[in-house]
Amino acid sequence: MIRLYNIDHFSLDETFLCGQCFRWEKDSDGTFYGVVGNNAAKMYYYDPKTIYVESSNPDLVYWSHYLNFSNDYNFIEKKLWQDEKLRPCIEKGRGIRILRQDLWETIVSFIISANNNIPRIKKIISALCESYGEKIDFDGKVFYGFPSPEVLSVLTPEDLAPIRAGFRDKYIIDAAQKVVSGEVNLDELPKMSNADAKATLMKIKGVGNKVADCVLLFALGRYKTFPQDVWIKRILLDLYGVEEKDIDRFVENAFGNFGGVAQQYLYYYYAVEKEK
């Protein structure tokens, strides 16, 4: 068991339910069960400042990295707090941390997320993993790892039809094939600039600006990146009066290097919490 003490600016609920990840589920007793890559885990509170992690991979460094405990969210909050309109969002979502998710899993997950809602995204990803992922026995339960590019690259859209991903079938396969061929090199992406990494990701069919930005933010830790969907564009228009064509300039001036964190606070407050 891993014990994470003196946890600050972190909430299991807010981090796992804010829309950045899709493989965590909350049990009736408040315990979260999830899978990252091929690692199953459960997380729960011992007290408000201590979290226990039990996992098929009991590596403290691995989970500390995934949960992004190296980032100073007190510093980030101080920078973003200067925006008065953002303050209620920060107060509501103070426990959100942007995870450092598995790169391959994030690419496929956000391809599936396009024009989709969170319950359906979770259902499709779960079906994909159950069909083609590695079986994991953990804590008396059965989980499934995320299928590798090699496994998915040899499939056809007909093979994926049972997971009911629709038009995204061919995009998932294309992503796998481009990774296996080396056209999209997962080892090189973290070393690239934002612009080069984004251009490389957009070689994959079905990866546009928003999906590429989500991968940069949620897998590569590029916190300046500000993914834009219908929700975020509407929020910026209603809250700040910012038109779509002016979003990039506004975000740069308003949020600087922490645009992605601001985006999560805004999305959680206006799109997640108010929809409950």
Side-chain angles (χ1 to χ4, degrees):
M1 179 189 296
I2 300 168
R3 294 175 176 85
L4 302 172
Y5 297 103
N6 299 319
I7 302 303
D8 189 31
H9 281 71
F10 179 77
S11 160
L12 291 172
D13 288 77
E14 290 169 17
T15 296
F16 290 152
L17 302 178
C18 69
Q20 65 172 315
C21 58
F22 308 105
R23 301 205 68 200
W24 289 94
E25 298 293 341
K26 187 177 182 180
D27 220 346
S28 58
D29 65 356
T31 300
F32 276 88
Y33 283 89
V35 186
V36 181
N38 285 319
N39 304 298
K42 71 175 184 179
M43 299 190 191
Y44 53 94
Y45 289 97
Y46 174 75
D47 60 45
K49 287 287 187 178
T50 305
I51 291 172
Y52 284 176
V53 182
E54 297 181 37
S55 175
S56 58
N57 174 14
D59 184 343
L60 173 62
V61 174
Y62 177 87
W63 290 109
S64 295
H65 175 77
Y66 173 74
L67 296 171
N68 192 15
F69 285 151
S70 62
N71 248 0
D72 185 352
Y73 267 68
N74 285 304
F75 176 79
I76 294 172
E77 179 180 315
K78 185 177 179 180
K79 291 291 185 181
L80 295 177
W81 192 258
Q82 299 171 41
D83 186 321
E84 292 184 1
K85 293 182 178 179
L86 191 61
R87 288 177 190 173
C89 308
I90 295 172
E91 289 178 330
K92 190 69 175 179
R94 184 168 275 125
I96 294 173
R97 276 186 180 258
I98 295 178
L99 300 169
R100 291 299 298 269
Q101 299 183 55
D102 177 83
L103 178 54
W104 166 242
E105 183 172 341
T106 307
I107 291 170
V108 177
S109 296
F110 280 93
I111 286 174
I112 291 170
S113 78
N115 300 311
N116 221 338
N117 59 63
I118 289 176
R120 188 160 181 268
I121 296 166
K122 286 187 170 185
K123 190 173 182 179
I124 293 170
I125 293 173
S126 178
L128 177 68
C129 295
E130 287 181 22
S131 298
Y132 297 104
E134 182 179 308
K135 184 179 177 182
I136 306 167
D137 292 307
F138 170 72
D139 200 45
K141 301 175 183 287
V142 176
F143 299 88
Y144 294 89
F146 202 88
S148 69
E150 290 75 16
V151 168
L152 297 181
S153 67
V154 297
L155 302 181
T156 66
E158 290 72 28
D159 293 325
L160 287 180
I163 74 171
R164 303 180 68 82
F167 64 88
R168 304 167 191 85
D169 289 346
K170 57 183 179 292
Y171 300 156
I172 295 170
I173 295 168
D174 184 70
Q177 290 175 344
K178 284 189 167 74
V179 168
V180 170
S181 72
E183 185 175 351
V184 175
N185 189 318
L186 299 184
D187 292 328
E188 292 299 317
L189 274 169
K191 306 172 189 176
M192 296 179 185
S193 66
N194 284 358
D196 288 346
K198 187 169 181 176
T200 299
L201 288 166
M202 290 175 69
K203 293 177 181 180
I204 299 169
K205 293 176 183 176
V207 175
N209 281 304
K210 192 258 183 176
V211 171
D213 283 343
C214 286
V215 175
L216 290 177
L217 178 60
F218 300 131
L220 298 182
R222 308 297 173 86
Y223 301 112
K224 192 173 183 176
T225 306
F226 191 90
Q228 300 172 32
D229 61 7
V230 172
W231 272 106
I232 284 295
K233 291 173 184 176
R234 186 181 303 147
I235 291 165
L236 291 182
L237 180 61
D238 293 345
L239 190 62
Y240 296 98
V242 177
E243 301 284 348
E244 183 174 347
K245 62 182 176 60
D246 299 319
I247 289 177
D248 289 343
R249 184 171 65 253
F250 169 79
V251 168
E252 173 73 27
N253 293 332
F255 308 134
N257 290 327
F258 304 113
V261 182
Q263 191 262 15
Q264 283 300 102
Y265 288 145
L266 288 164
Y267 182 82
Y268 184 73
Y269 186 78
Y270 287 103
V272 177
E273 276 294 289
K274 293 201 171 183
E275 287 297 301
K276 286 183 178 178

